Amino acid sequence: MENLTFQSKRELNNKVKIPVMGFGVAEIAEDLPTQVKILREAIETGYRMFDTAQIYRSERALGIAIKESGIPRQEFFISTKIFEQQRYNRTTESVFESLRKMGIEYLDRFVLHWPIAGRYIQSYKEMEKLYYSGIIRSLGVSNFEIWHIRNLLVHCNVIPVTNQVEFNPTYTCIEQRKFCEKLGIQMEAYTPIGRGGRFLNTEPLVTIANKYKKSVPQIILRWDIQHNVIPVPRSGRRVHMEQNADIFDFQLDRDDMKLIDGMNCDDRRNRNPYTTE
C-alpha cells in the first residue's frame, strides 16, 4: 500500500503530476464574496487541486482566492471544463475566457464535460491544438463511457489523462475503471460521498466508520484513494474540508474494502452518458 499524505501527487500519463485529492467548486455558493471565502478556506486547509467549470460560475472566485493566498501559481493544479451545450467551434475562445476570468496564464488541465454526440470529437481536436501550444498542460474528459473513449482515440491523438465520473459505493464503474487503467487514464470521482448525506446512516459504512473512529465520508474517501481513484469532494464548511482531508492516517483492511465494494448496485444518480450517444 502506498504511503500517501494529503500533499501526495500521482503522475499522469503525460508525466504531469496531480494531487491525490481535489476540491470541487460546483454550487459552493451563489455570490462571489462567499465563493472567495470558501475557496480561501480550502487553500488554507491545504487543498491545491481545484476542479471548476464554466457552468459553475466560480472561475473568477477561484482566481481571486489563489491570488490572495500569496502561494505561487505553480503550486496549484487548476482544472476547468467546457460546458457541453455551448457551440463547440468556440473551444479555443472558451479556454481564453476561462484564463481571463481566473487571471492566470495557463491551465493544468482542460476537461471536456460531456460526450455530446456529433460534437465531442471536434471539440477535443481543438483542445489538442491548445495542448500542443502549451497553454494547457493536460487534457481530460468527464462522463465518458468506454465506447466514447474508444471513439475519441480513433479520431484524436492525445490520450486523456483523466476521466471524471460518478463514483461511490453504490456505483463503482468496475469495467470502466479496468479499461481506463489499461490505457493509463486516471479515474476521478465527483460527488464521491453522495449528495444530501445519503450514505451517512448506511451499513456497512457506519460499522466500518466506528471501527476506525472516522466519519462515513472519511471512510468513503479513503476507499476511493485505495482504489486509485482521485476523489473531488466539495464543501462550503471548513470543518468538513478538514475532515475530508484527514484520511491519510489509516488504511482500510482488505475485508472492509470488500464490504464496501459489495454495496455496488449500479445506482447511477447523475445524468446518464448512455443517452448522449
Side-chain angles (χ1 to χ4, degrees), residues 37 91 100 113 127 135 153 170 212 247 267:
K37 175 181 179 294
T91 300
R100 178 184 58 79
H113 211 158
M127 290 165 59
I135 201 167
L153 297 182
T170 57
Y212 293 93
I247 62 169
D267 181 19

Side-chain angles (χ1 to χ4, degrees), residues 211-222:
K211 173 181 174 180
Y212 293 93
K213 294 181 172 55
K214 293 288 184 178
S215 68
V216 167
Q218 287 173 318
I219 294 298
I220 296 173
L221 294 172
R222 182 67 209 187

Side-chain angles (χ1 to χ4, degrees), residues 2-153:
E2 294 177 278
N3 186 24
L4 299 174
T5 70
F6 183 45
Q7 299 303 328
S8 294
K9 297 181 179 181
R10 297 192 187 279
E11 187 173 272
L12 300 171
N13 61 32
N14 69 343
K15 307 303 181 183
V16 169
K17 293 184 178 180
I18 185 173
V20 294
M21 179 183 288
F23 188 85
V25 188
E27 302 171 356
I28 55 172
E30 289 291 332
D31 62 284
L32 180 65
T34 304
Q35 289 178 346
V36 172
K37 175 181 179 294
I38 291 170
L39 291 166
R40 185 186 302 119
E41 290 177 347
I43 292 172
E44 291 170 354
T45 300
Y47 290 90
R48 293 295 180 267
M49 192 267 270
F50 290 90
D51 176 62
T52 186
Q54 292 160 4
I55 193 175
Y56 300 164
R57 302 180 186 277
S58 55
E59 291 176 321
R60 183 182 174 199
L62 180 57
I64 293 172
I66 290 173
K67 183 177 181 180
E68 291 181 351
S69 75
I71 298 171
R73 161 68 181 91
Q74 60 268 26
E75 293 190 22
F76 291 93
F77 188 98
I78 307 302
S79 175
T80 192
K81 306 182 184 80
I82 184 172
F83 180 38
E84 68 268 23
Q85 295 298 338
Q86 69 176 269
R87 289 165 46 200
Y88 273 68
N89 60 355
R90 293 184 57 213
T91 300
T92 298
E93 179 182 340
S94 171
V95 169
F96 282 98
E97 181 179 351
S98 291
L99 292 172
R100 178 184 58 79
K101 287 180 179 178
M102 289 187 276
I104 57 179
E105 296 181 351
Y106 67 92
L107 291 170
D108 295 286
R109 182 182 59 181
F110 193 58
V111 177
L112 193 54
H113 211 158
W114 281 91
I116 300 299
R119 297 182 180 180
Y120 69 91
I121 297 298
Q122 175 192 351
S123 187
Y124 196 85
K125 285 183 176 180
E126 289 191 50
M127 290 165 59
E128 286 183 316
K129 294 177 184 177
L130 292 163
Y131 172 70
Y132 291 133
S133 77
I135 201 167
I136 299 172
R137 298 181 66 219
S138 59
L139 303 181
V141 294
S142 183
N143 301 294
F144 271 51
E145 296 293 332
I146 291 173
W147 77 88
H148 294 124
I149 296 174
R150 282 177 173 156
N151 189 42
L152 187 77
L153 297 182

Side-chain angles (χ1 to χ4, degrees), residues 146 149-150 174-183:
I146 291 173
I149 296 174
R150 282 177 173 156
I174 297 172
E175 294 305 316
Q176 197 174 8
R177 281 190 288 135
K178 290 179 181 177
F179 177 81
C180 285
E181 184 177 354
K182 288 180 180 178
L183 290 175

